[in-house]
């Protein structure tokens, strides 16, 4: 099976005041494993940018199956699944040596032209040695707000940016967590619609229903940047 494994040592900084792993930290480790695997396969940042192409995440979902702990060692395994036109699914599992899964995730990646920012066809094929069991059998649901409540704003800072000079996906997770009223999170989904850059101001809107919460970020003109859904543990 085409997969990449890396040892994962979690520190106290990866956890919030409630003792739960920070969403931003979790997504960072997923992203780091994906980047390392892409480099190993010859489709990493340096390989892609040489042809004016870059990877972007369009959707991401994760679930904490069992409590993770600081100062403990885990294994993070990531594996791509069969590509679909302009979409490359990739799954993630945090587990121990015995195979017990503590967290799982899935993401949809696409390729855009670095200069035009337009979607391009995937310029490679993984081959046949792929793991085809989806981390989530029900995939992604469409996210939207029925009765939005204004929940503040945030201006993108230089420390929020990634190597492509747009806001790092992990930062959105941290911003969402700051706005959320939920104490602990079992599941998190975020879907991206538009890039943001240095100086862009995001306006947040929230809707809470029972043990679920949906938070969306928009630009001043009302254009949606992302929508996220959190489910209470």
């Amino acid at each position: 099976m085409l997969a990449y494994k890396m040892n994962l040592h979690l520190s106290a900084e990866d956890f919030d005041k409630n003792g739960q792993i920070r969403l931003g930290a979790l997504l960072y480790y997923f992203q780091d494993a994906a980047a390392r695997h892409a480099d190993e396969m010859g489709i990493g940042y340096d390989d892609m940018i040489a042809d004016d192409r870059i990877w972007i995440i369009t959707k991401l979902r994760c679930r904490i199956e069992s409590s993770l702990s600081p100062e403990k060692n885990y294994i993070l395994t990531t594996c791509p699944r069969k590509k679909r036109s302009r979409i490359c699914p990739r799954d993630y599992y945090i587990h121990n040596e015995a195979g017990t899964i503590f967290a799982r995730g899935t993401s949809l990646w696409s390729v855009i032209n670095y200069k035009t920012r337009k979607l391009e066809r995937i310029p490679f094929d993984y081959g046949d040695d792929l793991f085809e069991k989806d981390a989530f059998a029900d995939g992604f649901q469409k996210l939207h707000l029925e009765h939005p409540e204004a929940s503040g704003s945030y201006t993108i800072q230089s420390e929020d940016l990634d190597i492509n000079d747009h806001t790092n996906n992990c930062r959105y997770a941290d911003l969402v967590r700051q706005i959320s009223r939920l104490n602990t999170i079992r599941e998190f989904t975020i879907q991206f619609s538009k890039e943001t850059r240095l100086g862009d101001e995001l306006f947040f809107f929230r809707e809470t229903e029972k043990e679920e919460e949906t938070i969306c970020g928009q630009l001043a003109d009302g254009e949606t940047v992302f929508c996220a859904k959190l489910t209470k543990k």
Side-chain angles (χ1 to χ4, degrees):
M1 180 183 75
L2 183 62
Y4 180 86
K5 292 186 178 182
M6 58 182 270
N7 293 323
L8 182 62
H9 180 78
L10 300 178
S11 69
E13 294 180 352
D14 293 324
F15 293 78
D16 62 22
K17 62 182 180 180
N18 296 311
Q20 186 175 48
I21 189 167
R22 293 189 300 103
L23 294 177
L26 188 61
L27 300 195
Y28 169 79
Y29 288 124
F30 286 174
Q31 183 174 280
D32 184 42
R36 290 169 183 255
H37 196 196
D39 285 339
E40 189 178 85
M41 293 189 294
I43 52 173
Y45 178 83
D46 291 338
D47 303 288
M48 299 291 279
I49 198 65
D51 293 321
D52 291 327
R53 297 185 175 110
I54 58 173
W55 287 103
I56 61 166
I57 291 182
T58 58
K59 296 182 181 181
L60 196 150
R61 179 181 178 184
C62 62
R63 179 189 296 156
I64 299 170
E65 303 285 4
S66 185
S67 295
L68 292 154
S69 302
E71 307 307 330
K72 285 193 175 182
N73 296 317
Y74 300 91
I75 299 169
L76 198 168
T77 297
T78 181
C79 44
R81 288 185 287 108
K82 187 176 180 180
K83 66 179 184 178
R84 307 192 303 268
S85 183
R86 292 184 169 89
I87 297 173
C88 286
R90 174 178 284 273
D91 294 339
Y92 313 85
Y93 300 91
I94 295 179
H95 55 96
N96 59 17
E97 290 282 0
T100 302
I101 296 174
F102 291 83
R104 70 180 67 225
T106 191
S107 56
L108 301 184
W109 293 78
S110 293
V111 173
I112 65 170
N113 184 283
Y114 181 75
K115 295 178 179 178
T116 66
R117 316 310 274 188
K118 293 183 178 181
L119 281 173
E120 294 196 354
R121 290 192 175 276
I122 308 301
F124 62 87
D125 198 333
Y126 290 128
D128 298 324
D129 191 23
L130 295 174
F131 185 64
E132 281 307 315
K133 183 179 179 180
D134 196 328
F136 297 94
D138 56 346
F140 290 91
Q141 66 179 108
K142 188 174 182 179
L143 303 182
H144 64 280
L145 296 171
E146 295 287 349
H147 306 289
E149 169 194 350
S151 302
S153 64
Y154 178 79
T155 301
I156 302 300
Q157 309 294 313
S158 58
E159 57 266 28
D160 301 320
L161 305 181
D162 61 15
I163 195 171
N164 297 313
D165 287 329
H166 64 212
T167 307
N168 191 299
N169 302 301
C170 305
R171 282 296 295 137
Y172 291 113
D174 286 330
L175 293 171
V176 165
R177 194 68 188 95
Q178 292 170 18
I179 297 165
S180 174
R181 292 171 174 165
L182 303 181
N183 291 328
T184 55
I185 306 300
R186 180 173 185 266
E187 191 166 316
F188 174 73
T189 298
I190 186 164
Q191 302 179 7
F192 303 100
S193 303
K194 184 177 176 60
E195 297 175 293
T196 56
R197 295 178 176 275
L198 182 66
D200 285 344
E201 187 173 12
L202 275 173
F203 296 86
F204 302 112
F205 298 88
R206 174 179 54 203
E207 185 172 76
T208 305
E209 184 177 352
K210 295 182 180 179
E211 296 186 343
E212 295 183 340
E213 194 169 49
T214 302
I215 296 172
C216 295
Q218 298 179 355
L219 296 175
D221 62 4
E223 187 170 9
T224 298
V225 172
F226 74 87
C227 272
K229 183 177 181 179
L230 304 94
T231 303
K232 185 177 180 180
K233 184 175 180 180

